[in-house]
Amino acid sequence: MPNITFSAPIMKKDKTIYAVAGNTSTILALAKEHEIPIPFECGDGDCGSCLIEVTALGDKPLMGMALTEKEKARLKELQMISPAELELAEVNDTPPRFRLACQFIPRDEDVLVSFTGTPGGSA
Ligand code: FES
């Protein structure tokens, strides 16, 4: 069961939640459920307002689900993914640092999710 810790300057303190094993909710859905104020507009990978930074906690390498074409396109447009990160994501399935909360589904890994509270703001 992964622990997901949310951190943002607009939150009084960090909040850690426990995602149920086999959970298929996106980070955005989990945040909404726990009243964590990640900005969002479309909820469907189109607007980029739900930008988050994802960091692995613990010693397991980050194994977040591969990027969808939509998420890749939006991250490129926002200039939040470098060509090198894109290649790593496509060739090695290595997740990049920045993700869209409405597209990213956490797996069995502890992660820190940071966001600024500004729509599309980098963490
Ligand atoms: S809410 Fe629009 S891209 Fe995530």
Side-chain angles (χ1 to χ4, degrees):
M1 271 201 326
N3 286 347
I4 301 166
T5 301
F6 292 90
S7 178
I10 59 165
M11 290 167 58
K12 280 196 197 114
K13 56 182 180 146
D14 293 357
K15 184 166 184 175
T16 300
I17 64 165
Y18 309 93
V20 179
N23 160 65
T24 55
S25 300
T26 63
I27 288 284
L28 183 61
L30 291 168
K32 283 187 197 168
E33 197 182 313
H34 294 273
E35 296 178 7
I36 293 157
I38 296 181
F40 67 96
E41 286 169 25
C42 70
D44 194 30
D46 288 322
C47 70
S49 63
C50 64
L51 189 74
I52 53 170
E53 181 175 359
V54 181
T55 313
L57 299 175
D59 45 16
K60 277 195 217 167
L62 198 55
M63 56 169 194
M65 190 167 278
L67 290 166
T68 61
E69 288 305 317
K70 203 179 230 182
E71 191 176 8
K72 261 187 237 172
R74 197 61 54 236
L75 289 171
K76 273 201 257 181
E77 202 176 281
L78 295 168
Q79 300 184 338
M80 296 313 285
I81 188 167
S82 67
E85 281 181 310
L86 195 58
E87 192 181 325
L88 277 174
E90 287 173 343
V91 178
N92 297 345
D93 202 20
T94 305
R97 186 169 150 211
F98 292 100
R99 303 296 303 257
L100 297 177
C102 70
Q103 302 295 300
F104 177 61
I105 297 172
R107 298 208 293 210
D108 189 21
E109 60 203 340
D110 294 345
V111 292
L112 171 67
V113 171
S114 313
F115 60 100
T116 61
T118 305
S122 56

